[in-house]
Structure formats: C-alpha cells, structure tokens
Amino acid sequence: MTSPHPEVAPTRSPARWEDRQLAHGVLRLILGINIGLHGLTRVSAPGAFADAIVKNFADSPLPEWSVRAYALGLPFVELAVGVGILLGLRLRHVLTLGALLMSTLTFGESLRQQWSTVGLHLSYALAYYVLLARAADARLTVDGWLASRRGTPSP
C-alpha cells in the first residue's frame, strides 16, 4: 500500500544563496566598506590629505605636482569605488578600477621602498581578483536590479 503523501525530495529555494554567492557578498561588503571609508574619511579635507602624501613622497623620484594631483583625486576615487562595490553598480568596471588603483598605489609605495605596505596591497589585489573572477556570483546588486527591470540577463 502506498502512502497518500509520497516523500518529496527537498529542493532548494530559488531565493537561497549558494555558498559561493554568500562568500562573494561578504567579501564585497568588507572590501566596499574598507575602500569606501578610506575615501569618505579623506574627502572632507583633501588638501590636508594631499599635504601629508606629498610630505611622505618628498624623497621619491616623483615630482611634487604629480603626487599632489594624485593625492587630491584619490579620496574621491576611493569613495566612488567603495560605493560602487557596495551597491554592485557597474560592478565589473568598478572592481577593475579598484584593482588598477591598487596597482598605482603599489607602484608609489614600491618607489618609497615601503615593502610592508606593498605586501598589504597584495591582499587587496587578491580580494579584487576573487571578486572579479567570481563576478557572476554577485547578488543584491544595482546591476542585477536594473537588468531585471529591463528584462535582460544580469551582467
């Protein structure tokens, strides 16, 4: 005799995230907060931040004007990259921009022979690598929301 309630194999809810998607979200959250707050804490006084950077690079081969120009723009780029990562807005582009930003920071710190800082930059580079390599795992993004409104696949 058969049971009136046949056993049903458990299925995954479409709303449940896979582990890789959750991992991507957590790393995106941490990196976005980190980079965004780097920028946010500096945009209120970009001149003072630039002055400190120029002083740090006084013995480097880079001309002062180039260091100052870079340092004045850096907080705004960091803020934009951090917010873009957090929101998932143009995520692949913003992750690429963030990785390129890390390469410029690594270049500058290498000129200053600040090897411990350069090593720290490698940690950031690895985080950007993972997020870019697994960009298809991104969930809760503005990109995905915009794609769903247009009826197109997520980028």
Side-chain angles (χ1 to χ4, degrees):
M1 186 161 151
T2 62
S3 166
H5 303 289
E7 299 237 358
V8 177
T11 59
R12 290 198 165 175
S13 163
R16 181 178 166 155
W17 290 10
E18 300 287 331
D19 290 344
R20 60 186 161 63
Q21 295 165 332
L22 182 59
H24 192 277
V26 169
L27 184 57
R28 200 178 102 214
L29 175 67
I30 293 167
L31 186 63
I33 289 170
N34 184 296
I35 300 302
L37 286 178
H38 269 87
L40 185 63
T41 60
R42 297 170 177 165
V43 295
S44 62
F49 173 71
D51 290 343
I53 297 299
V54 166
K55 183 178 176 183
N56 289 341
F57 276 81
D59 294 331
S60 82
L62 297 173
E64 181 181 328
W65 65 265
S66 68
V67 174
R68 181 169 303 283
Y70 181 89
L72 285 170
L74 180 60
F76 300 96
V77 175
E78 288 175 327
L79 181 59
V81 167
V83 170
I85 291 170
L86 283 170
L87 296 178
L89 178 61
R90 312 250 333 151
L91 188 56
R92 283 185 173 91
H93 293 94
V94 81
L95 288 170
T96 301
L97 177 61
L100 292 173
L101 178 64
M102 290 312 305
S103 70
T104 65
L105 293 168
T106 299
F107 175 79
E109 293 300 325
S110 294
L111 287 177
R112 294 182 56 224
Q113 299 183 34
Q114 298 298 308
W115 305 121
S116 60
T117 303
V118 170
L120 178 61
H121 289 172
L122 184 56
S123 303
Y124 284 101
L126 289 171
Y128 280 109
Y129 169 81
V130 169
L131 290 173
L132 265 171
R134 302 300 308 193
D137 292 331
R139 296 295 177 267
L140 292 179
T141 64
V142 171
D143 291 343
W145 178 75
L146 291 172
S148 71
R149 291 191 40 100
R150 290 187 298 254
T152 59
S154 294

